Amino acid sequence: MTNRNDPAFRTGSMQREGAMRDDRLNWWREAKFGLFIHWGLYSIPAGRWKGKFIEGIGEWIQHTDRIPRKEYSKLVDQFNPLEFNAKKWVSIAKKSGQKYIIITAKHHDGFCIFQSNVGKYNIQATPFGKDPLKELAIECNRQDIKFGFYYSQTQDWFHPFGNGNDWDFDHSMNNQDKNFDDYVQNYVKPHIRELLTNYGPIAVIWFDTPKIITNKQSQELLDLCHRLQPNCIVNGRLGNSLGDYCSTGDNAIPNNLQNFDWETCGTINDTWGFKIDDNNWKSAEDLIKNFIDIVSKGGNFLLNVGPTSDGIIPKASVDKLLRIGNWLEKHQESIYGTTPGPIQNLDWCKTTKTIENIYIHVLNWPSNGKLVLPNLGKSIHEVSILGDDKKTELNFENFNSDVIIQCPVLPPDPIVTVVKIT
Ligand code: H79
């Protein structure tokens, strides 16, 4: 049906067509930018175990260091995020121009950061005693931001019938398939029921690492989500080519324009869950350029933060997000609600469009201020710099099949200047 050969879609999926799906996806297609939050027991060790720095991504610490579940699960006694403030978190997303928030309800370690009547490995077992997801749901509603949950449906290193923990359990034993199905039917599904019943409207359920899940199990989970909340969209990592949109591989951006719905999830440093020694921050400029690249190819950007176990989003993350928000405030028009533009094969510029306008995002400003754009046709009315309060019209001329636009010699925007063609 569509071309998903790009390596970025290693973990991607096909999607079902249909009017229902279009309805569900309408807001998401315009939204472009979301906040991903990885928060759980792994935020406490933050990449260190028994005084040793553990390699790899923070939320994988239990797996990387083969920590026995009996030992790791003792972290519940320490989870008490006294600084957690839903209003602050949602405000950060709001100021950054993000339109949706997706938080880990349960990651691969199996800990549920919400109040659940299914199993005991959840927030109720901690000294915190409140449900942070409930507070976030209320606050997102207040600030008009869509809210959704990440849920690890296959890997679960705590549940004996979940997948992935080969240091506490021997899953090659008898009844593996039957046991995993038991886990899906009697543990995963009831959790999904709680998540889609107790928190008001949920915009997205974001599954991950499908691995051994069967087609039947994926289909049942998809149907369950849509039955409980018909407007809830489900990402492609549900598995077996099911779901409402494709997820690329982590941090992967496809090389070309794609003609289906897709999203890149990405990190600001290297880890997803908070890791004390990860200071490998991407620059705000690179993040903005990645974001533009993604939108110009028809995708959404789900950008991650990993709050500390106290409930603080690292300052470096907040700084970058706010800088993206600053750029976006001036350039909303060329991002939200746009579709991929007509020029797709140039490295120095990325384009988007609306019915009336084409937006040229100039990633590398030419030293003479002259932009040479191929194949835009001859029906151009007006050219200006987006965000220019004086709305100065720029001179342009047609030359063969090119349009040559004379811009200021110095780029008007310090990060990425956008030229608007009407
Ligand atoms: O939730 C985030 C990741 O934890 C999750 N997806 C994003 C959104 C994810 N699950 N699996 N993976 C990412 C890929 C796993 C990579 C691994 Fe490794 C390579 C696991 C074991 C070897 C890196 C190195 C992580 C642990 C050691």
Side-chain angles (χ1 to χ4, degrees):
M1 177 180 61
T2 42
N3 173 19
R4 286 170 179 74
N5 294 332
D6 192 292
F9 289 98
R10 248 178 331 101
T11 58
S13 81
M14 305 290 271
Q15 63 208 342
R16 296 189 311 181
E17 308 292 347
M20 291 279 285
R21 202 183 129 255
D22 277 334
D23 282 350
R24 272 196 289 279
L25 282 164
N26 268 341
W27 71 267
W28 182 89
R29 286 175 177 151
E30 296 191 354
K32 308 297 183 192
F33 196 23
L35 177 67
F36 213 0
I37 303 178
H38 275 68
W39 202 37
L41 294 183
Y42 43 79
S43 315
I44 301 171
R48 264 177 320 187
W49 197 254
K50 298 186 173 162
K52 235 178 49 201
F53 287 99
I54 309 297
E55 298 237 328
I57 38 185
E59 71 284 2
W60 271 74
I61 190 168
Q62 185 187 3
H63 187 282
T64 309
D65 209 33
R66 300 289 194 270
I67 302 169
R69 72 197 268 279
K70 275 234 162 74
E71 217 178 297
Y72 182 86
S73 60
K74 285 203 189 107
L75 290 169
V76 294
D77 300 334
Q78 292 176 51
F79 194 78
N80 195 12
L82 294 176
E83 303 294 325
F84 169 69
N85 182 323
K87 189 172 170 189
K88 274 193 194 157
W89 286 15
V90 177
S91 300
I92 289 167
K94 190 86 189 174
K95 283 189 211 143
S96 310
Q98 295 170 309
K99 306 293 187 189
Y100 56 110
I101 293 180
I102 296 175
I103 184 168
T104 47
K106 166 179 167 268
H107 202 264
H108 306 331
D109 67 358
F111 175 72
C112 297
I113 203 159
F114 60 100
Q115 278 179 13
S116 173
N117 292 320
V118 185
K120 297 207 156 53
Y121 198 38
N122 66 59
I123 195 77
Q124 272 158 305
T126 72
F128 188 53
K130 288 184 273 183
D131 185 341
L133 301 196
K134 192 141 271 175
E135 295 180 31
L136 283 167
I138 292 168
E139 193 56 38
C140 282
N141 186 40
R142 252 187 220 135
Q143 300 200 35
D144 194 24
I145 287 207
K146 303 273 186 185
F147 187 49
F149 298 126
Y150 171 109
Y151 185 94
S152 176
Q153 80 279 28
T154 302
Q155 293 202 67
D156 188 314
W157 306 327
F158 182 79
H159 195 292
F161 296 166
N163 177 269
N165 181 340
D166 58 8
W167 56 97
D168 286 304
F169 306 112
D170 184 356
H171 289 298
S172 65
M173 301 275 282
N174 296 335
N175 286 333
Q176 191 197 166
D177 294 347
K178 185 164 164 287
N179 288 345
F180 182 74
D181 194 57
D182 188 302
Y183 158 80
V184 171
Q185 304 303 334
N186 301 314
Y187 197 66
V188 174
K189 279 191 188 172
H191 277 158
I192 296 294
R193 264 184 222 113
E194 291 182 322
L195 290 170
L196 288 173
T197 309
N198 298 340
Y199 299 88
I202 294 305
V204 183
I205 295 283
W206 211 100
F207 291 111
D208 201 6
T209 62
K211 299 182 81 176
I212 62 167
I213 195 169
T214 65
N215 188 72
K216 181 163 171 288
Q217 289 158 345
S218 293
Q219 184 70 56
E220 286 177 11
L221 286 178
L222 184 68
D223 293 344
L224 178 65
C225 292
H226 288 160
R227 184 153 17 94
L228 292 170
Q229 295 209 22
N231 289 324
C232 176
I233 56 186
V234 174
N235 77 327
R237 293 194 194 180
L238 168 61
N240 299 292
S241 304
L242 294 169
D244 292 308
Y245 69 85
C246 283
S247 298
T248 66
D250 295 353
N251 281 304
I253 303 178
N255 291 319
N256 300 301
L257 168 68
Q258 307 295 327
N259 63 346
F260 50 87
D261 297 292
W262 64 275
E263 176 186 70
T264 289
C265 59
T267 49
I268 302 185
N269 46 357
D270 291 326
T271 186
W272 302 82
F274 179 64
K275 204 176 170 217
I276 195 128
D277 59 326
D278 183 346
N279 288 305
N280 193 21
W281 303 102
K282 292 163 192 152
S283 70
E285 182 171 333
D286 284 346
L287 291 166
I288 289 168
K289 288 181 175 176
N290 286 347
F291 181 31
I292 291 168
D293 188 18
I294 289 167
V295 173
S296 79
K297 292 168 181 165
N300 275 18
F301 194 23
L302 180 61
L303 186 56
N304 182 73
V305 298
T308 67
S309 58
D310 291 334
I312 308 248
I313 300 179
K315 186 175 178 303
S317 297
V318 178
D319 287 349
K320 316 246 166 214
L321 286 173
L322 295 182
R323 288 193 58 198
I324 300 172
N326 270 341
W327 182 88
L328 266 174
E329 200 172 280
K330 199 167 121 194
H331 301 95
Q332 326 201 7
E333 202 186 307
S334 72
I335 300 290
Y336 302 117
T338 62
T339 53
I343 299 172
Q344 287 288 332
N345 54 352
L346 298 179
D347 284 338
W348 61 269
C349 83
K350 300 284 160 191
T351 61
T352 60
K353 69 172 182 343
T354 56
I355 292 169
E356 289 194 335
N357 305 309
I358 294 171
Y359 300 95
I360 314 287
H361 303 76
V362 186
L363 303 191
N364 295 306
W365 194 257
S367 57
N368 59 3
K370 250 190 219 309
L371 307 185
V372 181
L373 301 165
N375 301 320
L376 286 184
K378 306 225 183 256
S379 53
I380 297 176
H381 287 289
E382 198 181 307
V383 182
S384 62
I385 303 279
L386 188 60
D388 171 19
D389 296 334
K390 293 182 211 124
K391 298 217 177 345
T392 313
E393 286 192 29
L394 301 177
N395 289 325
F396 63 93
E397 56 178 338
N398 287 95
F399 184 77
N400 294 334
S401 62
D402 293 341
V403 174
I404 302 171
I405 300 172
Q406 184 58 59
C407 296
V409 171
L410 293 176
D413 188 274
I415 300 174
V416 175
T417 298
V418 180
V419 175
K420 174 178 173 176
I421 300 179
T422 305

